[in-house]
Amino acid sequence: MTDLRAELETWCQSYVVAFESYNADAIAAHWTFPALTTQAGRSFTFKSAEHFAKNTGLLLGFYKAQKVERVERRVVDILSMSDGAVSMTVQDRMLDGASNEIAAWQAAYVLQYVNKTWKAVAAVADGEVDAWAARGTPLGR
């Protein structure tokens, strides 16, 4: 792990490409399992990549309905939790084909360095749920 910020930015950009491709399996490949996500006061545990990808497929259908064509992600903050584990806050933006912002939010992830690559273990998606609800398009409620 030479340049932690650069490695996590690379992870984020790979994650963005998977979302822009609407590829649930590629998104799941960024995680280790079991995995945990929280949103709107609820927690969800995913026991396998297949389970995660199935749920992510529903999310991708929602994004398509909202006309998301581009995704931007920027690392806001990184906190080293131990050797090989970090907490990362990111700023996400969903854009249409003309680069108009559809929704934006902050999210937090816990990642571990597993088999020479970063993998997400947990995510807090409350900001995303709130951003979509503010648009009148509730997600997960």
Side-chain angles (χ1 to χ4, degrees), residues 3 19 29 32 43 46 62 64-65 68 74 77 79 82-83 93 99 103 105-106 111 126 136-137:
D3 183 354
F19 268 95
T32 187
S43 297
F46 300 95
F62 174 81
K64 270 190 182 171
V68 172
R74 179 179 62 83
D77 190 37
L79 173 65
S82 69
D83 199 25
R93 291 179 68 218
S99 295
W105 60 84
Q106 279 196 348
L111 292 97
D126 293 356
T137 52

Side-chain angles (χ1 to χ4, degrees), residues 36-141:
L36 174 73
T37 65
T38 67
Q39 58 179 298
R42 296 178 294 169
S43 297
F44 303 91
T45 303
F46 300 95
K47 58 187 179 261
S48 66
E50 295 77 21
H51 182 213
F52 187 88
K54 181 179 179 183
N55 183 73
T56 301
L58 297 172
L59 177 64
L60 293 174
F62 174 81
Y63 286 170
K64 270 190 182 171
Q66 303 309 311
K67 311 243 186 285
V68 172
E69 290 192 32
R70 261 192 48 234
V71 179
E72 291 180 354
R73 171 168 278 184
R74 179 179 62 83
V75 174
V76 175
D77 190 37
I78 301 166
L79 173 65
S80 178
M81 298 169 65
S82 69
D83 199 25
V86 299
S87 170
M88 174 176 67
T89 304
V90 297
Q91 178 69 40
D92 287 336
R93 291 179 68 218
M94 300 292 163
L95 308 164
D96 65 16
S99 295
N100 297 309
E101 184 177 286
I102 299 170
W105 60 84
Q106 279 196 348
Y109 288 82
V110 173
L111 292 97
Q112 285 185 316
Y113 198 69
V114 179
N115 297 326
K116 300 183 182 180
T117 189
W118 287 101
K119 297 280 188 172
V121 176
V124 177
D126 293 356
E128 179 175 7
V129 171
D130 293 344
W132 289 113
R135 282 185 47 83
T137 52
L139 171 66
R141 292 191 195 249

